Structure formats: structure tokens, C-alpha cells
């Protein structure tokens, strides 16, 4: 009996030593319970997961000093010591947010980014641009289907939120591109000089852009060129209006590549096939070529070089509005070369970005008038421009979502203009700039970008300082809001500087508020903005040449001013309907300016009050075909006939005629066929394209030209109402079919 009693006592004490103890508690973040937190007793298998209110509990037989761990992907790991005896244990913990690049809110007021890294929410990647009906494969044309960009067909440039086309600037790998658009004649817009496939991504800012960029009152487009190709390839393109070919050669060790392209275009065949509004005496034609080298260094740096040359020409004949002439003619011969080098290298926590570009542009314009087949007047304007840009930026990471960067930029301009074989002017300017900017990540919910830029112009002999700030806050899951403010400066346009004048920088202040939701293949953006313009350029008439009754507009003073305000909405959906991608954008713009030769404050003739665009793309795998539609509506813009009259012996501008153009409408369609679809082993890729712009044949009008006495006028219209394009593009050495499918071609 004694032996049994001792055995029972020993068994009880042994079981007691393995008795289960309950550990419980609550995990919170900012006093709110956090679910899905893994709670573990370190070096054991005991633990639990918190419920939606942050509560947890589990039992353990462990004893003594232990460590309790709390882990969650969005929060910093927490460890707490616990002493386990025979009583239940209660442990509470407060988590700290895990700050990382993926979860952190990003400042996006006024800007849209498209790149491979942001493909889920990217807007206007290269494949988007190529498959947007009516964009003709041009980046600038595709941007007109986004909110904030006006549809202005008679001249090149990005007309952003009430700004002129020259008030936006375009950059390649950080360096300014002077003369991004081809040379052209009055009333016909120049085209993009650069191939869309040259760039892997872009950041388009319609206001409030970074302090790293300057000399743009309205907005900036930052283009990033492609890196090393995946493999060597050869590409060909053929259509009734162009023929081109290119190659890319990748080294065996895949650390460098080089390539080149050559192309020729001529619109003569299409001029014969279609009814053109414009009478071309010399159909638009062009020759272009480029060469590139890309090198990845052993230390992880990257060097890029890109060089291009193009030449274009055209001749236009129109009926003269003046009774002393039957016709007016203009002939153009243009040449351009552009070279860009960039180098990127990491040095520990520092990143160095340097770049330089050089461009030369020649525009040879000849104007003549005829009466009964006899030349009654002849004027020649020859413009040569040399432009050099250099930029260096050093960036240091502070933590995962914070950084500090600074640098300097030099932009040199040397332009010569020749009127009728005698030199009229030689414009030179060196704009030197320094800037500093910081990204501040306070948490995954709150971030800021603060910067300042200072510039000096050797021509103006003036300095400026431009502060910029932007804030972003996450309102809720997938919902963010941003605010941006900035001061922006820009030199007066050099083409108006034809004589002595005391000039200063033009300036604009931007205020932008944005709300955005981006998730699950859908994106919704709402923006409200206000821009205030000061010191805008005003011009006056000067005699064009002694002894002739002709005048040229020349800079007078910086006494102009204005404003632009509006609302914008953008919706894109790639998920709701299978194999369908569509987006809708709407812009409301209220703007007035007193600038250039405007006698009073007027609504600019390039500003439309309401603009609506819709783009839809449907890819049918069974048919190997993509169908693309786009539609644009813009309320009619105002037009003015501004003339001069003598008041007390002084010429003064006044509005002789004014009115409103009819509303702009254009429905476009394109179809893309992939005959190589399904050939897994094929090292080739072919795409056949049919595109029809303005398929309904709407007779759109861009403005009016008026006679000298104002008694007659003629409409400025597109060269052709409806344009049809057919082409084939073939790649050897690489099959891009899967990329085309994955991007909803």
C-alpha cells in the first residue's frame, strides 16, 4: 500500500510538471486589432494566429524564461520575454509598421508613370501606344487620349492644361530633347522624330513635376530608353508610305549590345489614293537613321549611347486670300541630328546618374506668291540651331522609401536666323541650374517630396528660385490622395527675340489635388488643378525689312498674365471584361490669358472647355487578332483675327474677328493580326496592321487664316479627313508573340 501511494504521488507530480499553461493576449497597431499575426513561442512548435480583432490564445507545456515572437509581412517583427510557471500568461503587443517600397504610398499628383516595373497599373506603355487607334504609333499622339492634354491638330507640341505646345518639355534618360518634333510648315503639325520602341517606360507630368527638371511652364514627359535586348534580332517594316529595317546585336556574354536602323517615308502614293485637303506640290518625305550602343560594366554600371539623323521635305500650295495674288506656296527642307549619352553607376548607398545630349536642327523655309503663273514675291527664312545639354544627379538612399538627391544642369542654345540671305539675328543663351530634392517616407500611409531648383540665364542676366512640394496620403486600402505645389519658370521663346528688349523669366504656379484608386486591373483618378501665370511674353510688330510693308512679331515685355483651372477624370479597366482593355478620360478647362499679341485677356485659341476621350481594345486569341477603337470629342475652340490700328501714332492690337469653331469629333479604328501565333519554336514574329483614322469622315476645322484687310478667310483643316494605313512588321531572331498576348495586343 505504501509503495502504491508513493507511485501515485510521483505520477501526479510528473503529470503536474507537464500541465498545460494558457498564453493569450491582443496585438494592436495604433490601438486597432491586427489579424493574421503569427504568434510563436520561440524554438518551439507552440503558437497561434490572431483573429480579426487581434486576439490570440494557445496552450503550452513549456516552463521557464521564454521568448514570444509576433510576425506579420506588413509590420516589424516583435519579440517579448515571458516567464511561464503554472499560471496562465497574458501578453499584449503594439506593432510598428514595416516600411517598404511595395506598400508605401507614392506621390502621383499631376503625373502618370508607365514602365515594366509598374505594369500592373501602368498607363501608355509602348504596347499601349502602338495599339491605340488614331495615335499612329506616336507617343505625343497617344498622350492626347489622357486627361489634361488638348487636341490641337494644326501644330506640334503637348498642349497641357491651358499651356502652349512650347510650354511642355520632353527628356530622354534625364537629358532635354530639343526639337523632339520634325520640321514642318504653318498649319501642319510635325511628327515625333523618335521611335516609340526605343523607350521602355515614361513618366508624364501634367503639372507639379520634379525639381530635377525645368524650363517648362506646363508639364514634362520623361522618357527612359530600353536596356540590353534579350537576344539579337532583325526587324523590317513595309507599307505604302514607308520602308524601314533595323537590327540589334547582343554579345555572347550579354554585357553589351549595338544596333542601327534606316528608314524612308513618302506620302506621294497615299496622296494619289486618297482625297487630300492639302495640295502638296512636294509630297512629305523623309529619310532617317540611328545607331545605339549599350554597355553593362563589370561593376554594375550602365552606359548608353543613341544617335540619330533625319531629313524631311514638303511643299504646299494654297489659294491666296489677297486679291493681288492667285496662290501662295511654302517649301520646306529640314535636317536634324541628335546624340544622347548617359551613364548610371552605384557606389554603395549612392547612385550617380549623368547624361549629355547634343542636337542640331536646320529649317529652310521658302515662301512665295504667284499671279497668273508669275512669281510676285519670294521670302526665304533659314534657321540653324545648336543645342547642348549636360546633367548630373547624385542620389543617396536614406532608407527603403526615403532618399536625398541633388545635382546641376547646363543647357546651351546657339541659334542663327537668316532672312533673304542676310543674317537678321544670332541668339545665344546658357541656362545653368542647380537642384536638390528629397523623398520623405514617414510611413506606408504618408510620404512627401520636397525640392528646390535655381536657374541663371546668361541672355536674360536673371536668376530664379523655384520651390516644389508634394504630399501623398493613403486614405484606405487602394485609395490615395495627393497634393502638389510648384513654381515654374521658362525663358521667352527665342523666335520672338528679334531686337533689344528688357525681358525676364515667364512663370507659373501649380496647385494640384488628386484622389486615386488603383487595384485589380482597374484605375480611377480624379484631379483638380489651378495654374496662375505671370510675366508672360507680350510682342509687338516690327518692320520685317526696310522699305517693305511687312512686319514680324518681336518680344516687347513680360507684362502678360493668365490662369487655368479645371477638373479631370480618368478610368481604366482591364479586368471586368475578358480580353478587353478600355479607358475613358474627361477634362474640363477654364483658362484665360493676356499674352503675345492678345489686346486683352482672352480664352486661348488652343484651349477647349470640354474634352472627352474613350479607348477600347479587344483581343481575340482564336482569331489571332486585336481590334482597337478610340473616340475623341472636344468642344469648339475660340478663334481670333487680331490686327493692328494706329492710335495716337502708335500701332495697337485689336480683335477684328472672333468666333467659336465647331466641335471636334473623331472615331478611329485599327486591327492587328498575328499570323505567327502558336508557333512555339518559331524565331520570328509578324504583325499585320490596318488603321483608319476618322472613319466617319468628320470635317474638323482647326482655325482660320484671314486676309490682310480681314475681308476673306480660309479654314485650317487636317491634310486629309480620313487616313488609311496598311503595314507589316517582321522580326527575326526573337518571337514576341507571347509578349503581345500578355499585353492584350
Amino acid at each position: 500500500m505504501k509503495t502504491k501511494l508513493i507511485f501515485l504521488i510521483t505520477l501526479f507530480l510528473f503529470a503536474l510538471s507537464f500541465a498545460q499553461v494558457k498564453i493569450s493576449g491582443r496585438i494592436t497597431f495604433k490601438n486597432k486589432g491586427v489579424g493574421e499575426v503569427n504568434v510563436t513561442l520561440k524554438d518551439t512548435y507552440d503558437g497561434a494566429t490572431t483573429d480579426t480583432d487581434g486576439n490570440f490564445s494557445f496552450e503550452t507545456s513549456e516552463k521557464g524564461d521564454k521568448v514570444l515572437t509576433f510576425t506579420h509581412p506588413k509590420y516589424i517583427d516583435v519579440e517579448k520575454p515571458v516567464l511561464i510557471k503554472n499560471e496562465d500568461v497574458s501578453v499584449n503587443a503594439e506593432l510598428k509598421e514595416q516600411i517598404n517600397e511595395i506598400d508605401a504610398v507614392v506621390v502621383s499628383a499631376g503625373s502618370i508613370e508607365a514602365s515594366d516595373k509598374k505594369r500592373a497599373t501602368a498607363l501608355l506603355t509602348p504596347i499601349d501606344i502602338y495599339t491605340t487607334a488614331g495615335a499612329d504609333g506616336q507617343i505625343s499622339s497617344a498622350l492626347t487620349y489622357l486627361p489634361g492634354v488638348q487636341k490641337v491638330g494644326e501644330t506640334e507640341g503637348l498642349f497641357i492644361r491651358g499651356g502652349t505646345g512650347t510650354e511642355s518639355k520632353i527628356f530622354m534618360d534625364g537629358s532635354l530633347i530639343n526639337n523632339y518634333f520634325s520640321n514642318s510648315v504653318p498649319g501642319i503639325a510635325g511628327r515625333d522624330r523618335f521611335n516609340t520602341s526605343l523607350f521602355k517606360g515614361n513618366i508624364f507630368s501634367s503639372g507639379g513635376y520634379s525639381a530635377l527638371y525645368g524650363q517648362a511652364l506646363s508639364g514634362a514627359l520623361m522618357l527612359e530608353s530600353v536596356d540590353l535586348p534579350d537576344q539579337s534580332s532583325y526587324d523590317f517594316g513595309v507599307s505604302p508610305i514607308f520602308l524601314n529595317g533595323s537590327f540589334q546585336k547582343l554579345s555572347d556574354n550579354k554585357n553589351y549590345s549595338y544596333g542601327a536602323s534606316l528608314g524612308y517615308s513618302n506620302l506621294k502614293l497615299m496622296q494619289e489614293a486618297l482625297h487630300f485637303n492639302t495640295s502638296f506640290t512636294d509630297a512629305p518625305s523623309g529619310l532617317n537613321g540611328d545607331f545605339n550602343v549599350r554597355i553593362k560594366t563589370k561593376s554594375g554600371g550602365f552606359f548608353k549611347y543613341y544617335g540619330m539623323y533625319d531629313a524631311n521635305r514638303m511643299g504646299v500650295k494654297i489659294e491666296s486670300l489677297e486679291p493681288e495674288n492667285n496662290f501662295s506656296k511654302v517649301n520646306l527642307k529640314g535636317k536634324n541630328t541628335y546624340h544622347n549619352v548617359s551613364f548610371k553607376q552605384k557606389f554603395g548607398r549612392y547612385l550617380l546618374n549623368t547624361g549629355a545630349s547634343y542636337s542640331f536642327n536646320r529649317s529652310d523655309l521658302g515662301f512665295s506668291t504667284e499671279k497668273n503663273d508669275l512669281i510676285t514675291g519670294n521670302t526665304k527664312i533659314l534657321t540653324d540651331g545648336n543645342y547642348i545639354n549636360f546633367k548630373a544627379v547624385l542620389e543617396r538612399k536614406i532608407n527603403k522609401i526615403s532618399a536625398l538627391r541633388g545635382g546641376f544642369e547646363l543647357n546651351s542654345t546657339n541659334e542663327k536666323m537668316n532672312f533673304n540671305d542676310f543674317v537678321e539675328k544670332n541668339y545665344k543663351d546658357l541656362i545653368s541650374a542647380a537642384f536638390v530634392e528629397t523623398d520623405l517616407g514617414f510611413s506606408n500611409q504618408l510620404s512627401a517630396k520636397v525640392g528646390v531648383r535655381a536657374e541663371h540665364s546668361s541672355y536674360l542676366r536673371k536668376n530664379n528660385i523655384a520651390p516644389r512640394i508634394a504630399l501623398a496620403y493613403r486614405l484606405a486600402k487602394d485609395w490615395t490622395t495627393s497634393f502638389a505645389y510648384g513654381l515654374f519658370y521658362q525663358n521667352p521663346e527665342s523666335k520672338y527675340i528679334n531686337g533689344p528688349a528688357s525681358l525676364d523669366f515667364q512663370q507659373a504656379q501649380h496647385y494640384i489635388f488628386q484622389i486615386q484608386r488603383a487595384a485589380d486591373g482597374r484605375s480611377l483618378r480624379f484631379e483638380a488643378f489651378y495654374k496662375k501665370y505671370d510675366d508672360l511674353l507680350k510682342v509687338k510688330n516690327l518692320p520685317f525689312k526696310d522699305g517693305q510693308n511687312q512686319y514680324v512679331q518681336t518680344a516687347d515685355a513680360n507684362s502678360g498674365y493668365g490662369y487655368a483651372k479645371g477638373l479631370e477624370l480618368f478610368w481604366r479597366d482591364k479586368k471586368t471584361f475578358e480580353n478587353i482593355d478600355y479607358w475613358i478620360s474627361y477634362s474640363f478647362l477654364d483658362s484665360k490669358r493676356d499674352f503675345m499679341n492678345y489686346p486683352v485677356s482672352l480664352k486661348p485659341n488652343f484651349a477647349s472647355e470640354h474634352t472627352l476621350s474613350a479607348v477600347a481594345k479587344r483581343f481575340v486569341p482564336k482569331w489571332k487578332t486585336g481590334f482597337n477603337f478610340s473616340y475623341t470629342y472636344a468642344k469648339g475652340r475660340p478663334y481670333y483675327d487680331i490686327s493692328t490700328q494706329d492710335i495716337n501714332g502708335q500701332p495697337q492690337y485689336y480683335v477684328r474677328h472672333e468666333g467659336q469653331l465647331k466641335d471636334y469629333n473623331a472615331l478611329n479604328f485599327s486591327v492587328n493580326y498575328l499570323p505567327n501565333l502558336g508557333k512555339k519554336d518559331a524565331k520570328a514574329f509578324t504583325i499585320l496592321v490596318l488603321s483608319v483614322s476618322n472613319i466617319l469622315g468628320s470635317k474638323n476645322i482647326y482655325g482660320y487664316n484671314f486676309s490682310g484687310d480681314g475681308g476673306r478667310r480660309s479654314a485650317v483643316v487636317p491634310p486629309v479627313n480620313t487616313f488609311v494605313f496598311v503595314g507589316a512588321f517582321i522580326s527575326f531572331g526573337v518571337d514576341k508573340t507571347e509578349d503581345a498576348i500578355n499585353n492584350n495586343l
Side-chain angles (χ1 to χ4, degrees), residues 122-173:
L123 298 169
L124 297 194
T125 58
I127 199 69
D128 285 325
I129 295 167
Y130 280 126
T131 56
T132 297
D136 300 326
Q138 298 184 97
I139 297 174
S140 63
S141 296
L143 290 175
T144 63
Y145 294 95
L146 295 181
V149 185
Q150 295 283 290
K151 191 73 174 179
V152 178
E154 68 271 28
T155 186
E156 62 278 352
L158 294 173
F159 292 77
I160 301 172
R161 291 178 172 174
T164 70
T166 59
E167 291 175 7
S168 58
K169 291 293 187 290
I170 301 176
F171 302 83
M172 175 179 176
D173 295 331

Side-chain angles (χ1 to χ4, degrees), residues 4 29 60 94 124 262 401 480 658:
K4 289 181 179 180
F29 173 70
T60 181
E94 178 75 13
L124 297 194
L262 183 66
I401 60 174
T480 62
E658 65 179 306

